[in-house]
DNA sequence: AATCCCACCAACCGCCACCTC
DNA sequence: CGAGGTGGCGGTTGGTGGGAT
């Protein structure tokens, strides 16, 4: 029997698989779900998190952008040196290189290499590569600083999200969401350490009651009757509305 | 001021390795 | 042992913004 691609598997369950840039709401849903229930199964997760995305897409978004320990901003000279050194050692094994650069993702390193370093490889030596990067990097930092100054003045949304028509979300907006979620957990107790180390689950919280299950908070479908809460979506809608109310009132 | 070009980067795609049954 | 499911990896694409003309 031919293998069924994950997209097709999901399309039977989901009305429509969304592609392209992630909206702030989608980010918040994914982040909130993982913070609350951990990572248990990427392919099933979008369904329970109320996301019309493939598991792969969710995983990528989490790994490359939403994960709390992801480091943003320009590469430091030390990081550039490591990338160059590791590339010479390992070649295009980006994940292996990323393992040597805490906070940097393989995707980010790959992009960085293709945009900054690739053209230099085999043409120029390391010193010239680094000097070229340094000049560009300084220019970029200056630009970013200027942007941030502008941003601090112009952005005024109480929940930190830019409520403009643009559906793309910035890193700064995501960080604001982190702050929001830390302050206003919908559960009675704070979620201990999950901001740094989300729980990796061994079972589906949907099934509940499994001995090896490590999640700290009960999945909405086990709190309530599954017929009334058959997805995380409904629960999230209730919770986020509550969060929004608190934040706007504050 | 308008248009074009290019750099950047988030996200997608296809493939493969590993695991489970 | 083989089939199927899942996650991870690397290559590539497409949208966007900024600089050049």
């Amino acid at each position: 029997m031919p293998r069924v691609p994950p997209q097709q598997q999901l399309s039977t369950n989901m009305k429509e698989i969304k592609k392209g840039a992630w909206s702030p709401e989608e980010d918040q849903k994914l982040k909130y779900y993982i913070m609350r229930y951990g990572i248990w199964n990427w392919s099933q997760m979008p369904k329970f998190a109320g996301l019309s995305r493939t598991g792969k897409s969710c995983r990528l978004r989490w790994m490359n952008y939403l994960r709390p320990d992801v480091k943003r901003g320009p590469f430091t000279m030390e990081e550039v040196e490591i990338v160059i050194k590791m590339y010479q050692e390992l070649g295009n094994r980006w994940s292996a290189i990323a393992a040597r650069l805490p906070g940097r993702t393989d995707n980010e390193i790959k992009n960085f290499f293709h945009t900054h370093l690739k053209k230099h490889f085999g043409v120029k030596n390391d010193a010239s590569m680094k000097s070229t990067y340094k000049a560009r990097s300084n220019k970029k930092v200056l630009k970013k600083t200027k942007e941030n100054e502008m941003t601090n003045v112009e952005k005024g949304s109480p929940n930190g999200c830019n409520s403009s028509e643009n559906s793309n979300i910035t890193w700064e907006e995501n960080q604001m969401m982190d702050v929001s979620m830390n302050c206003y957990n919908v559960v009675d107790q704070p979620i201990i350490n999950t901001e740094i180390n989300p729980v990796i689950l061994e079972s589906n919280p949907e099934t509940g009651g499994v001995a090896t299950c490590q999640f700290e908070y009960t999945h909405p479908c086990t709190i309530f009757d599954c017929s009334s809460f058959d997805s995380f979506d409904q629960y999230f809608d209730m919770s986020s509305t509550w969060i929004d109310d608190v934040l706007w009132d504050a």
Side-chain angles (χ1 to χ4, degrees), chain A residues 44-58:
Chain A
Q44 297 295 316
M45 190 188 290
K47 187 169 69 183
F48 295 113
L51 291 162
S52 302
R53 296 275 183 173
T54 63
K56 273 191 165 190
S57 183
C58 293

Side-chain angles (χ1 to χ4, degrees), chain A residues 7 56 104 229:
Chain A
Q7 286 86 348
K56 273 191 165 190
R104 298 292 185 186
F229 279 91

Side-chain angles (χ1 to χ4, degrees), chain A residues 172-235:
Chain A
E172 287 74 18
E173 288 165 357
N174 258 309
Q175 295 297 74
M176 291 298 286
M177 280 188 201
D178 281 345
V179 172
S180 302
M181 285 195 283
N182 274 343
C183 297
Y184 300 103
N185 287 321
V186 293
V187 291
D188 294 330
Q189 304 155 308
I191 298 173
I192 302 157
N193 284 338
T194 50
E195 181 65 23
I196 299 161
N197 297 310
V199 184
I200 309 299
L201 301 178
E202 294 175 14
S203 65
N204 180 353
E206 183 71 6
T207 59
V210 180
T212 56
C213 198
Q214 293 178 8
F215 57 91
E216 294 174 71
Y217 295 95
T218 318
H219 192 272
C221 297
T222 59
I223 297 173
F224 304 97
D225 186 336
C226 286
S227 60
S228 56
F229 279 91
D230 59 354
S231 78
F232 179 74
D233 207 12
Q234 282 176 282
Y235 188 73

Side-chain angles (χ1 to χ4, degrees), chain A residues 75 80 83 107-117 133:
Chain A
F75 278 55
V80 176
V83 171
N107 204 37
E108 197 179 7
I109 293 168
K110 184 172 58 184
N111 281 333
F112 175 77
F113 180 84
H114 283 133
T115 53
H116 295 103
L117 304 179
Y133 170 72

